[in-house]
Amino acid sequence: EPGVTTLGDGAFYSLENAASLSLPDGLIGIGDYAICACGKLEEIRIPESVTTIGYHGISNCHSLKSIYVPAAVTHMDDSNFVVCGALPAIVVDSNNPNYTSVDGLLYNKGVTELIRCPGGFSGSRPRRAAPLPSGRRRRPPYRPGRRFPRIR
């Protein structure tokens, strides 16, 4: 709709049958849970005018296959793109002042903080846990009611 500047909280929550969603040009903000739990959604077009993506603004979209973060996005909650199991990569415009993507992973611009590894990421190496410093060990998997030994 022309003139819409904000996609309100929960606007497309649990959108059932749409495979793609093209947001209007001139949109500035995507609210909390605006595009969330949309099981069949494969593609979202975010216009270049968007500056803010709220808490879980785009999340829990199991079929999402691509996402592009425009240069204008200066604030994006780190809860975005969670539970998007088919998403192989997050692509960020190279002119974005706050975010960047390296090999499909979302980082802050200085590449000092990994913000999101997309759910469908396969990378060039098999997934494995990062090595622990010498003398440390991994905690066993969590089981309700089980107390963990103290790791020194």
Side-chain angles (χ1 to χ4, degrees):
E1 192 68 33
V4 173
T5 58
T6 303
L7 192 58
D9 295 351
F12 290 109
Y13 187 88
S14 197
L15 185 66
E16 292 293 322
N17 294 315
S20 68
L21 181 62
S22 184
L23 301 176
D25 291 330
L27 189 72
I28 296 170
I30 296 175
D32 298 348
Y33 298 99
I35 305 168
C36 182
C38 301
K40 295 181 182 177
L41 193 60
E42 295 180 4
E43 179 186 20
I44 301 169
R45 182 196 158 279
I46 302 173
E48 295 292 331
S49 54
V50 170
T51 61
T52 304
I53 303 175
Y55 181 74
H56 284 276
I58 301 171
S59 67
N60 206 0
C61 297
H62 303 284
S63 300
L64 189 63
K65 292 184 177 158
S66 67
I67 196 72
Y68 167 77
V69 179
V73 175
T74 55
H75 175 76
M76 177 171 42
D77 192 86
D78 63 4
S79 62
N80 283 290
F81 316 122
V82 299
V83 196
C84 295
L87 186 63
I90 299 167
V91 178
V92 179
D93 188 289
S94 61
N95 294 316
N96 188 298
N98 294 349
Y99 304 100
T100 191
S101 56
V102 177
D103 297 329
L105 304 179
L106 177 65
Y107 290 91
N108 67 340
K109 191 63 170 189
V111 193
T112 58
E113 177 186 0
L114 174 61
I115 298 170
R116 176 73 48 222
C117 175
F121 178 77
S122 62
S124 58
R125 293 174 248 153
R127 275 192 174 177
R128 61 177 177 229
L132 292 173
S134 178
R136 300 280 184 168
R137 61 176 198 221
R138 296 198 187 286
R139 285 186 177 216
Y142 174 74
R143 290 190 196 110
R146 181 175 173 198
R147 296 190 65 184
F148 290 109
R150 188 165 190 183
I151 297 177
R152 298 176 197 254

